[in-house]
Amino acid sequence: MIIGVSGRNGAGKGAVVEFLAERSFYVFSLSDVVRDELKRQGVDETRERMIEAGRGLRERRGPGALAEGLISQLLPDRNYVIDSIRHPAEVEALRRFSPEFRLVWVDASETRRFERIRQRGRPGDPTDIEALRALEARELSNADVAGQQLLAVEEMADFVVPNEAGFEELHRAVREVFRESLFFERPTWDQYFMSIAQVVASRSNCVKRKVAAVVTRDRRIVSTGYNGTPRGTRNCNEGGCPRCNDLAPGGTGLLDCLCSHGEENAITQASYHGASLRDATLYTTFSPCLQCTKMIINSGLSEVVYNSGYPLGDRSLELLQEAGVKLRKVGPTA
């Protein structure tokens, strides 16, 4: 899950971020991108400089620049809370990155917010209501597309969390957001196993094409395999396979190829470790060649799921169907 947090000054955004951080969410702030820019410029941080530096970054790199600069740091196995979202293009960038992104707007009355601002006493904070209104006039809307546009961000919020009372009420409101929508999606089993096969393929040392297979039974992995030269011989990318290193055209020089295919290695690995493949499913990044097809049939595999078609694979698919092996093609996982 990726939770964005936004709101006006003193609304309690930091309290929401802290609440989620205590529940194992990793915290990022778009303001940190601006702070890094001020450090690069060699100037001290003030509210005015933060506003102007953020505007400058949006002007030079696009209105979604702060979020786009952060996205590369987000990992798929973690939950995140992202603070200081102040422009609709930042919301759009995060939504493009992840369908699991949700924006929470923290809301409180002007009187309550000013009271909190006075209590925290940060340097540069407004000292009266009029000063607060003048500051927020620059943040709420802006004719300059690179300026802050909090009102537009508020309109894009998925959830509004009221924060007029104390922490207990605020925490209760945040919990209600999660009760209403636990908005993460797990991959299907096909996506799960095919994505694993694609990672396995990254281990391939073949010069021409990286291919891998994963054999599963009862939704458990039995074996994996990727294409490359046989155990104990020189790797393909070290000159081990003359066909690959000669960059032979597709379909030619097959008698010179020393590489075992991903499906072949997955099947032989299972045999090496004494695992039966009867009625198992093979996930492969490419549909199998004829040689691997015969091994699939004779090893007792009952289903083949593939991602892309092998260039010379039509006869293989026909033979699998003739042998009663179920055959399915699934789309790319990324």
Side-chain angles (χ1 to χ4, degrees), residues 14-213:
V16 173
V17 170
E18 183 178 349
F19 178 79
L20 294 176
E22 291 171 350
R23 284 145 184 84
S24 301
F25 278 72
Y26 287 78
V27 177
F28 279 106
S29 174
L30 298 192
S31 293
D32 290 338
V33 180
V34 183
R35 290 187 179 96
D36 290 342
E37 176 64 13
L38 291 180
K39 290 178 182 177
R40 188 189 67 79
Q41 296 175 8
V43 298
D44 294 332
E45 176 187 329
T46 66
R47 180 181 291 276
E48 290 297 322
R49 286 172 178 166
M50 289 285 288
I51 292 173
E52 286 307 309
R55 186 196 61 76
L57 286 170
R58 296 187 190 98
E59 190 174 64
R60 294 193 302 273
R61 303 178 188 174
L66 302 189
E68 290 163 359
L70 182 70
I71 282 171
S72 63
Q73 303 178 54
L74 304 182
L75 303 175
D77 60 343
R78 299 180 182 182
N79 293 330
Y80 292 97
V81 55
I82 299 176
D83 191 12
S84 299
I85 297 173
R86 299 177 178 274
H87 197 286
E90 295 163 356
V91 180
E92 292 167 355
L94 290 164
R95 283 180 174 161
R96 284 195 302 270
F97 171 72
S98 173
E100 298 167 3
F101 174 79
R102 295 294 185 274
L103 178 63
V104 173
W105 179 267
V106 187
D107 199 30
S109 66
E110 182 181 70
T111 302
R112 192 74 178 93
R113 292 187 294 107
F114 181 64
E115 179 185 340
R116 292 179 184 137
I117 290 171
R118 290 185 61 185
Q119 289 175 350
R120 73 190 185 189
R122 292 179 185 171
D125 274 345
T127 56
D128 55 49
I129 288 287
E130 291 304 318
L132 174 61
R133 290 171 180 168
L135 171 66
E136 290 189 335
R138 298 179 57 189
E139 299 178 343
L140 294 178
S141 61
N142 207 307
D144 182 357
V145 70
Q148 296 185 17
Q149 299 181 24
L150 274 177
L151 287 178
V153 172
E154 181 180 8
E155 292 177 359
M156 301 174 76
D158 298 290
F159 302 95
V160 176
V161 172
N163 186 24
E164 290 294 332
F167 288 129
E168 185 177 342
E169 288 296 321
L170 176 63
H171 296 167
R172 183 179 296 114
V174 174
R175 287 190 179 95
E176 283 300 319
V177 168
F178 285 84
R179 290 192 185 101
E180 180 179 339
S181 175
L182 286 175
F183 34 79
F184 61 90
E185 296 181 4
R186 296 197 301 171
T188 66
W189 286 109
D190 282 348
Q191 293 169 336
Y192 174 68
F193 289 125
M194 192 62 74
S195 65
I196 292 174
Q198 290 172 332
V199 172
V200 173
S202 68
R203 280 287 301 167
S204 169
N205 58 68
C206 182
V207 174
K208 294 179 68 66
R209 181 184 287 116
K210 294 179 181 292
V211 183

Side-chain angles (χ1 to χ4, degrees), residues 288-291 293 310 312-321:
C289 71
L290 193 57
Q291 177 68 24
T293 293
Y310 183 66
L312 304 174
D314 289 346
R315 184 66 186 97
S316 300
L317 300 182
E318 294 171 0
L319 190 61
L320 287 168
Q321 291 175 323

Side-chain angles (χ1 to χ4, degrees), residues 245-266:
N245 283 272
D246 283 343
L247 295 179
T252 67
L254 297 178
L255 294 178
D256 295 324
C257 183
L258 303 183
C259 292
S260 299
H261 289 188
E263 303 94 325
E264 179 182 359
N265 277 332

Side-chain angles (χ1 to χ4, degrees), residues 214-281:
V214 172
V215 178
T216 71
R217 184 191 295 109
D218 298 326
R219 295 176 178 172
R220 298 292 184 271
I221 294 176
V222 176
S223 68
T224 67
Y226 53 85
N227 60 326
T229 51
R231 185 194 308 270
T233 66
R234 279 191 302 162
N235 288 329
C236 181
N237 61 338
E238 298 168 337
C241 179
R243 175 178 181 265
C244 292
N245 283 272
D246 283 343
L247 295 179
T252 67
L254 297 178
L255 294 178
D256 295 324
C257 183
L258 303 183
C259 292
S260 299
H261 289 188
E263 303 94 325
E264 179 182 359
N265 277 332
I267 291 169
T268 56
Q269 280 298 307
S271 175
Y272 184 83
H273 293 286
S276 171
L277 300 186
R278 183 189 296 271
D279 297 326
T281 297

